[in-house]
Structures are given as structure tokens and as C-alpha cells.
């Protein structure tokens, strides 16, 4: 029966530059010695849509491949990979209002801040709409630097410049802002930014000048992956169980072959005997430091 409500969760068309990848490494599950490093977002690879009808690249939204560079994942252990929206850290220049619309309040950001230079395209007019703003507490002695579970959402952003305005009320700021596409300052409105009916005299907190903030996109939910790098996988274990094997009776060289009948491992098999009585004490299997290629499968199977 139709309910009148339609829709699905739409896969995001994420650009790799919108993503931040952090890897936490631990040599084993019992170790508390965890190291972290950043993985370049270019390792996240977009997939071409196989259903496309035209020529060129058409992103297959929601599905990506992730490269794990050998130089970063060379050690055995547990790698926890956190994929989350990239963080843009900057400071609020000012909190002000528009000269033409005094009821519109917002925060002012500086597009020339070196911290945002790599993301300057995000700060073009209305490109920040839907982004989340989180706040760093100005109290450096606080236990938590970030205000937990507190954020605002950008509803508009436009380049603006400060202007002096003559005001009859001396308690109000004389500096206001007007839109100017040639300015380096960005005027952002956020939600909520107006008084509620319950507390009409209390203006919602949207930040304060010189306060550090974290700006992130809301395109996708953070993802955590776990990768365990081991010496042996299912295939190499299967070689030991089901692969072809040989044992040279003269010199005791024990050889394991992969499923292409190439030499995978070689061992020396020998007995340790009591030096006085000659009684066998142990059977030893020792990995050889070098491969005896005369024990190749084709060589011994054609004898």
C-alpha cells in the first residue's frame, strides 16, 4: 500500500579532495603502542559508471577503490583506516550583520588564510552550503578543546567587505558587511542563528572573533576499515596443505610447489642423533637460506 512517502538514501559523489584518510597502526591486538599517519586522499580512486551512455568519465557514486601503498603498509600488524570528511581549520574573523539587512547575522571568514588555500574553491559563493562548523573552545586550559556534539550548519556564504555605517544607537557596532565578489572575506549565515520563541532575548551562539573552527562537508558518513597484514594468506596456507610436494631421499631437501608448480619454499629435513649411542633423538625441518632449483617440479616429475 502506498504511503505517499518516497525516496532512498542517495550515494554520494565524493571527490577524493573531500576526504581525509587517517591510519592507525598496531603490531598486534594486545599492543598499546599505536602509531598514526595520514594517507594521501589520491589513494581513493573513483570508479567509472559502467551504465553510462556517453563518452568520458561518469562517476559511479558511492563506490570507490582504495590503494594501500606498500611503503605505508609494509609491516605486519593491524591497520585501522578511518575515512572521514576532510577538516578545514580556520578562525572566525568577526561576527557581524549585513548593512542592507540588519536582521541577518553571520560569521566572517578570511579566504586568504593559508590554512584554507588548498580549499579556496569551497569558499566561493554558496559552495559552503550544507557544511558543518564545529568550534574549538577559546579556553586553552579546558580538558576538551573541541565543544563536543555542538555544531552549526552553513546556510549561505558570499564574499563580503566591511563598511562603516553611522548608527544612532551607540551600543551597536558601526562596522557592517556588504556583498562584494572581489573581497577576500566570506560572510556565512548558519543555522540556527535567530532567537527562538521560547527565549526571544537569547541569541544562539554562532561563534566569536578569533575563535578557531573546524569546517567539514556532510557528503558522507565516516567509515572505519580494518586491514590486517600477515605473512600468510589463505592461498599460501593452501599451498602447504594441497600443493604438490617432493622430498629428495639422498639429501633430505623438502620442496613445496605453488599451484603453478613453481618452487614456493624449501626445507632441509634431517635427524639429530645421540653422539655416543647413535640413537635418533629429533627430526628437524629447517628452512633453506637458498633455493635448489634442480628440485624443480618439471625436473623431478620427468625422471
Amino acid at each position: 500500500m502506498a504511503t505517499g512517502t518516497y525516496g532512498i538514501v542517495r550515494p554520494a559523489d565524493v571527490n577524493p579532495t573531500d576526504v581525509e584518510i587517517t591510519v592507525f597502526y598496531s603490531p598486534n591486538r594486545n599492543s598499546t603502542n599505536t602509531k598514526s599517519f595520514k594517507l594521501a586522499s589520491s589513494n581513493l580512486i573513483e570508479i567509472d559508471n559502467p551504465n553510462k551512455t556517453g563518452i568520458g568519465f561518469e562517476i559511479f557514486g558511492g563506490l570507490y577503490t582504495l590503494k594501500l601503498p606498500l611503503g605505508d603498509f609494509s609491516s605486519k600488524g593491524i591497520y585501522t583506516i578511518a575515512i572521514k570528511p576532510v577538516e578545514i581549520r580556520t578562525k572566525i574573523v568577526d561576527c557581524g550583520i549585513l548593512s542592507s539587512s540588519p536582521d541577518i547575522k553571520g560569521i566572517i571568514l578570511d579566504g586568504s588564510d593559508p590554512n584554507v588555500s588548498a580549499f579556496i574553491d569551497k569558499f566561493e559563493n554558496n559552495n559552503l552550503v550544507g557544511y558543518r562548523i564545529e568550534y574549538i573552545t577559546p579556553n586553552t586550559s579546558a580538558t576538551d578543546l573541541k565543544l563536543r556534539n555542538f555544531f552549526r550548519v552553513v546556510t549561505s556564504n558570499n564574499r563580503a567587505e566591511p563598511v562603516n555605517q553611522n548608527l544612532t544607537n551607540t551600543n551597536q557596532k558601526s562596522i557592517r558587511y556588504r556583498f562584494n565578489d572581489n573581497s577576500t572575506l566570506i560572510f556565512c549565515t548558519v543555522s540556527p542563528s535567530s532567537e527562538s520563541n521560547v527565549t526571544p532575548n537569547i541569541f544562539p551562539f554562532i561563534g566569536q572573533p578569533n575563535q578557531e573552527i573546524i569546517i567539514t562537508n556532510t557528503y558522507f558518513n565516516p567509515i572505519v576499515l580494518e586491514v590486517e597484514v600477515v605473512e600468510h594468506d589463505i592461498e599460501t596456507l593452501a599451498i602447504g596443505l594441497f600443493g604438490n610436494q617432493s622430498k629428495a631421499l639422498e639429501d633430505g631437501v623438502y620442496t613445496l610447489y605453488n599451484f603453478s608448480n613453481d618452487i614456493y619454499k624449501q626445507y632441509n629435513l634431517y635427524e639429530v642423533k645421540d653422539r655416543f649411542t647413535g640413537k635418533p633423538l629429533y627430526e628437524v625441518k629447517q628452512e633453506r637460506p637458498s633455493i635448489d632449483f634442480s628440485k624443480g617440479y618439471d625436473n623431478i616429475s620427468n625422471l
Side-chain angles (χ1 to χ4, degrees), residues 101-294:
S101 302
D103 58 328
I104 297 180
K105 304 176 179 66
I107 62 175
I108 291 82
L109 308 177
D110 186 359
S112 63
D113 184 348
N115 292 329
V116 304
S117 59
F119 310 98
I120 194 60
D121 59 313
K122 313 294 185 187
F123 289 79
E124 295 301 328
N125 292 348
N126 286 322
N127 281 2
L128 285 177
V129 173
Y131 275 59
R132 181 180 66 241
I133 295 179
E134 297 174 283
Y135 298 86
I136 302 298
T137 176
N139 183 6
T140 57
S141 62
T143 304
D144 290 324
L145 292 180
K146 187 170 73 172
L147 297 178
R148 293 194 180 192
N149 302 314
F150 182 87
F151 64 91
R152 294 289 184 251
V153 176
V154 178
T155 54
S156 72
N157 72 282
N158 294 84
R159 291 185 177 270
E161 65 177 355
V163 292
N164 287 314
Q165 188 166 343
N166 294 325
L167 302 174
T168 56
N169 187 346
T170 58
N171 292 325
Q172 294 180 344
K173 293 177 63 174
S174 61
I175 296 180
R176 298 193 176 189
Y177 293 87
R178 66 183 179 189
F179 295 142
N180 182 348
D181 289 345
N182 295 319
S183 175
T184 60
L185 299 179
I186 296 96
F187 185 94
C188 298
T189 59
V190 298
S191 177
S193 61
S194 60
E195 301 87 340
S196 68
N197 293 331
V198 179
T199 56
N201 296 323
I202 300 178
F203 182 74
F205 178 79
I206 62 173
Q208 61 189 51
N210 294 319
Q211 184 171 19
E212 187 177 358
I213 59 173
I214 303 172
I215 305 174
T216 55
N217 67 71
T218 54
Y219 300 150
F220 67 100
N221 293 324
I223 301 170
V224 177
L225 306 174
E226 183 181 276
V227 175
E228 184 172 2
V229 176
V230 296
E231 184 175 353
H232 296 284
D233 57 16
I234 294 176
E235 182 174 353
T236 59
L237 293 176
I239 290 173
L241 292 173
F242 308 114
N244 291 328
Q245 305 173 7
S246 69
K247 176 184 176 182
L249 298 179
E250 182 176 355
D251 55 16
V253 176
Y254 176 55
T255 306
L256 301 178
Y257 306 93
N258 62 21
F259 296 114
S260 298
N261 284 331
D262 298 320
I263 295 176
Y264 175 68
K265 289 278 188 180
Q266 275 188 341
Y267 300 89
N268 291 323
L269 298 181
Y270 58 90
E271 289 184 343
V272 176
K273 299 181 179 180
D274 187 290
R275 62 178 178 177
F276 298 110
T277 65
K279 179 181 178 181
L281 299 177
Y282 302 101
E283 289 185 349
V284 178
K285 174 183 173 183
Q286 182 184 52
E287 185 173 355
R288 290 176 57 87
S290 59
I291 298 296
D292 182 355
F293 290 99
S294 66

Side-chain angles (χ1 to χ4, degrees), residues 16 37 39 89 160 187 204 287:
F37 60 90
L39 191 64
R89 289 179 175 261
F187 185 94
E287 185 173 355

